[in-house]
Amino acid sequence: MAAPPYRFRVFATADIGREALAILQQQGYEIEVYPQLEAPSHDLIVDKVRAGVDGLITTLRDRIDTEVFEAGKGRLRVVAQDAVGFDNIDRAAANRARIPFTHTPEVLTEATAEFAWFMLGAAARQLWASEQLVREQQWRFWHPYYPLLGTEVTGKTVAVIGTGRIGQAFIRKSLGFEVRLLCHDPVRQDAEFVQKVARLQAEGRKSGLLRASASIAYTGLREALSEADFVSLHVPLLRAGESPAPTYHLIDDERIGWMRTGAWLINTSRGPVVDEAALLQALRAGRLAGAALDVYETEPLPETSGLRAADLVQRVRLYPHAASATIETRLSPDPERGMAGRCVQALRDVLEANYGGQPARMPYVVNKEAFQDGGTA
Ligand code: GLV
């Protein structure tokens, strides 16, 4: 087992936060941070790993595949991802190489959930178009319905697809909007959580604080989609073969067909959860009121994407994968507060052999299954 000062070499594909990286330097780590704002090429990552690093810090824009794990044979001991999602990392390849990879759960839950609500609000109340009017000197008088009216959120029906950490935070934040919540989770229902929310709502209704619309229930996907005014997605991206309930294109042509005409789709999860071609078709056909998207099938959103079409501009809100983008969430060096802090802690857990050196016991290791035999990294 290594002891401080540590002599580990780490390559970070981005500056994930100076204060957090400084913690590693203070411990004696040798850190190289890719200096550009754009992501390094896959070849460069492979070269850096082949040249010999003990730890690799990655972001969701880096493809970490068999080639990277092969290049790390004999030296690379951990891949620490600065994100909660990890669909850019080939889990089977990591397992074959017996290299633990880590992520940063929980610390971005609140930021992501509140952003989903802000997106929903911005879409429903046409905040972007409204501001544009003022900026472009198009606001010349007040009028009861000119130039635009939004749709009210309070009291409406909201489908929450995915009731893990972020879905639950989204639900907690919805209480003041007194909405009817229809929850669906393709994998696991948290009945206890829903009961707790239902009890709060019942108290609120009884005391007159909340109106009758405030309610919550688990439903099937079809019911949730077909009754909701707003559908908010909070599932991880799981492709066929990665789970008995894959979420790739969960919202496809058929499922969009189940949605109410005039409903809004809000996506802060992962782009490929939605079939963008089917979404575009539904928007064009006037089947949906619109969509507010923070994630895309290809990121950054290509210039040629139909989602940018001028005729859809009032109905499609586009954001740059920014749901977790707060100073606190992205940069705090505190592992209990920020992604940077948690990413660094996760890397240290593996390299410094915390938890008896057993990845299966380390809280932020994702691929624990590769170490269930009690093996060390
Ligand atoms: C981080 O921003 C993530 O989407 O996991």
Side-chain angles (χ1 to χ4, degrees):
M1 201 181 295
Y6 299 105
R7 296 281 173 251
F8 301 122
R9 290 205 70 227
V10 172
F11 177 64
T13 64
D15 173 7
I16 62 160
R18 295 206 179 124
E19 280 183 80
L21 291 173
I23 295 172
L24 294 177
Q25 277 152 344
Q26 282 150 18
Q27 296 297 315
Y29 284 56
E30 196 186 309
I31 320 279
E32 182 184 348
V33 179
Y34 184 67
Q36 314 294 335
L37 295 180
E38 292 82 10
S41 68
H42 184 256
D43 283 353
L44 186 136
I45 296 173
V46 170
D47 286 349
K48 292 287 176 193
V49 170
R50 188 170 289 124
V53 292
D54 305 287
L56 179 65
I57 292 178
T58 57
T59 71
L60 44 84
R61 53 199 197 155
D62 307 314
R63 179 164 48 88
I64 305 301
D65 56 9
T66 304
E67 213 184 329
V68 176
F69 290 112
E70 281 288 314
K73 238 182 186 159
R75 174 93 187 245
L76 182 65
R77 289 180 47 213
V78 60
V79 174
Q81 164 101 337
D82 185 41
V84 62
F86 45 80
D87 42 286
N88 57 311
I89 299 177
D90 184 335
R91 186 173 190 144
N95 289 354
R96 279 195 301 276
R98 271 184 75 83
I99 292 177
F101 69 92
T102 65
H103 70 151
T104 63
E106 286 125 18
V107 284
L108 41 61
T109 297
E110 303 301 327
T112 305
E114 71 176 29
F115 198 77
W117 266 107
F118 299 149
M119 285 167 63
L120 190 158
R125 300 301 301 273
Q126 305 212 44
L127 296 190
W128 188 76
S130 304
E131 182 170 344
Q132 233 185 356
L133 280 173
V134 179
R135 291 190 175 280
E136 293 174 3
Q137 285 293 314
Q138 298 299 315
W139 179 41
R140 295 190 300 275
F141 45 79
W142 190 93
H143 184 277
Y145 61 82
Y146 182 84
L148 39 88
L149 295 178
T151 201
E152 203 152 311
V153 174
T154 303
K156 291 284 166 59
T157 298
V158 177
V160 184
I161 310 301
T163 57
R165 284 182 291 260
I166 297 174
Q168 291 190 5
F170 179 86
I171 289 169
R172 280 191 281 106
K173 293 182 198 312
S174 76
L175 286 170
F177 284 111
E178 304 170 80
V179 290
R180 171 179 174 235
L181 292 157
L182 298 179
C183 309
H184 175 78
D185 194 292
V187 175
R188 197 177 73 89
Q189 297 204 348
D190 190 340
E192 200 185 321
F193 169 80
V194 164
Q195 272 161 21
K196 275 190 205 160
V197 175
R199 272 201 296 276
L200 260 180
Q201 288 170 325
E203 290 226 349
R205 287 195 304 266
K206 205 165 127 203
S207 66
L209 271 181
L210 296 180
R211 64 174 82 187
S213 51
S215 66
I216 186 166
Y218 269 113
T219 68
L221 182 58
R222 187 170 193 140
E223 189 180 338
L225 294 181
S226 60
E227 294 194 19
D229 302 293
F230 301 94
V231 173
S232 190
L233 304 178
H234 301 284
V235 290
L237 173 60
L238 297 164
R239 295 178 193 272
E242 289 176 354
S243 159
T247 57
Y248 176 79
H249 282 187
L250 178 71
I251 305 300
D252 61 2
D253 192 38
E254 185 186 357
R255 269 71 180 263
I256 291 173
W258 294 348
M259 286 174 69
R260 289 187 45 184
T261 300
W264 285 88
L265 180 69
I266 317 295
N267 191 10
T268 50
S269 64
R270 282 293 182 261
V273 171
V274 176
D275 178 346
E276 269 174 21
L279 173 63
L280 258 173
Q281 225 173 29
L283 288 166
R284 283 253 137 73
R287 281 271 307 111
L288 300 182
L293 309 171
D294 187 43
V295 287
Y296 308 92
E297 293 212 61
T298 303
E299 294 182 11
L301 187 65
E303 207 175 329
T304 52
S305 167
L307 291 168
R308 297 176 185 280
D311 59 320
L312 293 177
V313 79
Q314 303 299 355
R315 297 163 53 212
V316 178
R317 301 278 52 83
L318 304 172
Y319 302 99
H321 200 137
S324 65
T326 68
I327 296 162
E328 301 90 332
T329 290
R330 285 276 174 89
L331 298 183
S332 171
D334 176 356
E336 297 306 317
R337 185 69 188 90
M339 293 161 62
R342 190 153 282 200
C343 176
V344 159
Q345 185 58 51
L347 176 111
R348 292 185 64 187
D349 283 347
V350 178
L351 291 183
E352 296 172 25
N354 296 335
Y355 300 91
Q358 293 179 36
R361 291 176 46 209
M362 297 176 192
Y364 315 128
V365 167
V366 176
N367 57 336
K368 291 187 168 67
E369 69 276 9
F371 305 93
Q372 286 307 346
D373 54 5
T376 51

